[in-house]
Every structure is written in C-alpha cells, then in structure tokens.
Amino acid sequence: TVMEIKTLTLGELATNCYIVISAAGNAAVIDPADDAQRILDTLGKENAELKMILLTHGHFDHIMGIDKTIETFGEMPIYVEEHDLALLNNADQNESMVYTSGYSHPGGNVIHDGDVLSFIGHDFQVIHTPGHTAGGVCYYVADEGVLFSGDTLFRCSVGRFDFATSSKEDLIHSVKDKLFLLPDETNVLPGHSHPTTIGYEKEHNPYV
C-alpha cells in the first residue's frame, strides 16, 4: 500500500511535522510540533485515526503538540531513542525554557538503532544518528524510498551541534557513515526547510 505523506510546517521555529496515512485511514505523526490544532485538523480532514507518534529527537519544537494530540486520540505509543528520553521528559534539557515557559511530556517508548516499527503496511527502520542530540534518529521506509531525517540532515546543511548533548564529530559520522549508505534516490524529508535526496547531499552538502 502506498502511504500518503502530509507535511505541516509548525511553530515559531518552522518545524516540519509529517503525517503519514495508510489507505485504510490509520496514521502516524512524526514530530508533532507546536500547533497541535493544525495536526488535528489535517487528521480530521483526511478522516484518519492516529495510532502512534514517532520522534526524531526530543527538542521542544518537535514535541510540543503531543499532549493535545493524545487528548483527542487517546494514549498511544510515543517512540523516542533512549538517549533523548531525558529531553522529552525534562523542560530544562529540551530547550523549551529558552523559547517558551517550558514543555515536557512524561513517559515515552524507548527505541534503539536497528529497531523496525511495522505500521500501516510499512517498515519504519530506526537509524540512530547522534550529533544534533545524543538520541537523534532518522526513520527510513525502504519500500517508499523515504527518509525522515529530523534535524540530522538538511538540504545542503546539517543540524546544529552546539546543544548540551550535541557532537559535531558524531553528526558528521552519522551522515557520512549511516545516511550516505542509503540509495542515492532516497527522498529526504527533514525537520526544517526543504526536502532533498541522498544523492544530492552527497554531491552538494558542504559539511560532509
């Protein structure tokens, strides 16, 4: 089944939130950024039932829509890499105190490198890509040729590496030795700004 991908750009940091919908009307949200109402409106318009939330990392601008979203759809798994659980759970660590009055969400379902989340007829492969944060991940859907890259890889750029758990060395390693092994034609859907492809970034990305 082909999955439908809706892109919403939300919140003051213009974060890309992706809503992935199956033919049967089940949905996953990747990085429910601030402005949950727009997420809910989109799901409503598509008549889709939200089943799970995938986080690429725990920074506030990628998580602030969680509470309102699960208020509407009920409890569901919220997947986050082990090293970023503390960011999800702790407003002091996820940068929300800098930009807002603080936001965190308790709990979270821990995932690791190599895990596969099978959902809506597709396998979302977890690729642990530390660097922007220690627990950053990308989700690769091989049969669709799509990579949700979070704040690891952008068009001609990479994520910031000046946060508490950041590492420039790790970030470059994540991109070069993990993401650049994917097929060149893989569509990259990043956490901010415009889509790109792996092949384009191999040639044009000045950081790697």
Side-chain angles (χ1 to χ4, degrees):
T1 59
V2 178
M3 64 188 196
E4 192 182 351
I5 301 170
K6 300 271 180 200
T7 307
L8 303 177
T9 303
L10 306 174
E12 62 178 316
L13 298 189
T15 303
N16 290 331
C17 162
Y18 298 100
I19 300 176
V20 182
I21 305 171
S22 74
N26 292 318
V29 167
I30 299 170
D31 291 345
D34 198 8
D35 199 356
Q37 197 52 52
R38 279 190 53 202
I39 299 172
L40 297 174
D41 290 347
T42 304
L43 288 163
K45 221 168 27 205
E46 299 298 321
N47 216 356
E49 185 72 26
L50 187 61
K51 299 291 190 188
M52 67 185 197
I53 292 170
L54 307 175
L55 303 179
T56 60
H57 63 294
H59 277 156
F60 82 99
D61 59 310
H62 294 256
I63 65 174
M64 280 181 71
I66 292 176
D67 286 7
K68 196 161 175 196
T69 308
I70 58 180
E71 253 171 50
T72 301
F73 284 97
E75 288 299 323
M76 66 186 71
I78 298 167
Y79 293 105
V80 61
E81 207 279 336
E82 186 172 25
H83 295 83
D84 268 21
L85 192 59
L87 272 64
L88 176 62
N89 299 165
N90 186 327
D92 287 324
Q93 292 184 38
N94 63 28
E95 302 295 320
S96 64
M97 302 301 277
V98 180
Y99 292 89
T100 74
S101 54
Y103 178 85
S104 63
H105 182 80
N109 300 58
V110 168
I111 52 173
H112 302 94
D113 188 55
D115 285 356
V116 177
L117 305 171
S118 292
F119 175 69
I120 66 173
H122 299 275
D123 288 342
F124 290 73
Q125 295 174 34
V126 177
I127 305 172
H128 183 209
T129 51
H132 177 67
T133 63
V137 297
C138 299
Y139 296 99
Y140 177 52
V141 187
D143 62 350
E144 294 278 321
V146 170
L147 178 79
F148 297 95
S149 67
D151 288 2
T152 297
L153 179 63
F154 299 129
R155 185 179 168 88
C156 293
S157 189
V158 293
R160 284 173 57 177
F161 39 77
D162 56 348
F163 294 110
T165 69
S166 299
S167 157
K168 182 180 183 180
E169 205 181 345
D170 286 354
L171 188 61
I172 301 306
H173 168 70
S174 289
V175 173
K176 259 190 165 148
D177 303 333
K178 291 187 171 182
L179 300 187
F180 281 2
L181 301 181
L182 298 174
D184 281 355
E185 62 276 10
T186 304
N187 287 309
V188 177
L189 300 178
H192 300 272
S193 192
H194 304 291
T196 183
T197 65
I198 291 292
Y200 186 87
E201 293 313 308
K202 276 185 188 169
E203 274 188 37
H204 300 283
N205 195 305
Y207 287 89
V208 280

